[in-house]
Amino acid sequence: MASNKVKGPGAFQKKVDLLEAGTKSQIVGKTTVTIAGTPMNATQILAQLGVADTLFGDLATARLATDKAMAARTAGLPAVQQFVKEYVAALKAQFGVGNPVLKNFGINPAGPRKARTAEQTAVSVAEARKTRKARGIMGKKQRAAITTSGSSGLALVSPTGQVEPGLVRGPTPPGQSGPVDAAGLVGGGTPAASGSATP
């Protein structure tokens, strides 16, 4: 069984429109329809249905006006906001940032800035240095002073684990001027300076 229940104002408005169309085409001349015990002709029925048209029409008009007003506000507000910002700045320049007169404009005057004592400054500096030390923070010169010594080497090893002669560039350990014999690195041996080892 079909339900006559209409969901939502949009659906109700559509139903009213269909009733109006049917009334105009079918309830003609002196024809009446008894509604809730009262006989009504087409003019009377259309007058009642027209109330819905007025209500929905007024709402549509109001929504359109609201949309236009919101669009106008979005377009015009940035310029007004900029003017307000400049006006506040001008008032502060005119009267002074700490002048109580600014309260009359809804602006809180700036309070007097408290001067730091020598003791407070000294404590602050000491705390900052302690924090830098704890975090290992260094300046440019401190970072530049940290360098590595020695150099990496390169050795080609055969499938049997032997260093290929003539294709070796051993590493230079920190504190030494020359590279070590790369052959001494194979098998975990202690590297020796290339000038003192026999390949």
Side-chain angles (χ1 to χ4, degrees):
M1 181 177 177
S3 174
N4 291 325
K5 194 171 183 179
V6 180
K7 296 181 179 180
F12 181 75
Q13 184 179 13
K14 183 176 181 181
K15 183 174 184 178
V16 169
D17 291 341
L18 292 172
L19 286 170
E20 287 178 326
T23 301
K24 291 175 182 178
S25 65
Q26 302 302 318
I27 312 302
V28 295
K30 296 183 179 181
T31 305
T32 61
V33 177
T34 302
I35 304 171
T38 304
M40 301 181 72
N41 58 27
T43 302
Q44 294 169 320
I45 294 171
L46 292 173
Q48 291 296 320
L49 295 175
V51 174
D53 292 333
T54 301
L55 294 174
F56 284 110
D58 289 347
L59 180 58
T61 302
R63 283 178 174 169
L64 181 60
T66 300
D67 291 343
K68 288 182 178 179
M70 290 182 69
R73 183 189 67 179
T74 300
L77 193 57
V80 180
Q81 288 174 326
Q82 182 62 29
F83 176 79
V84 168
K85 182 178 178 181
E86 293 170 353
Y87 182 39
V88 169
L91 288 172
K92 289 180 178 179
Q94 178 88 8
F95 297 105
V97 293
N99 196 323
V101 173
L102 293 176
K103 290 183 179 180
N104 297 317
F105 297 91
I107 304 170
N108 291 325
R113 189 171 182 179
K114 294 182 179 179
R116 300 181 70 184
T117 64
E119 181 181 348
Q120 289 173 326
T121 302
V123 170
S124 178
V125 171
E127 289 294 331
R129 287 178 179 170
K130 190 165 62 173
T131 300
R132 285 172 62 87
K133 184 176 181 181
R135 294 179 179 174
I137 301 173
M138 295 181 291
K140 281 186 177 180
K141 291 183 179 179
Q142 290 172 309
R143 287 196 299 271
I146 300 174
T147 59
T148 59
S149 59
S151 64
S152 301
L154 177 66
L156 295 182
V157 181
S158 70
T160 60
Q162 300 297 317
V163 176
E164 295 288 346
L167 301 176
V168 178
R169 179 172 178 263
T172 302
Q176 292 191 20
S177 59
V180 299
D181 182 2
L185 299 176
V186 179
T190 302
S194 60
S196 61
T198 303

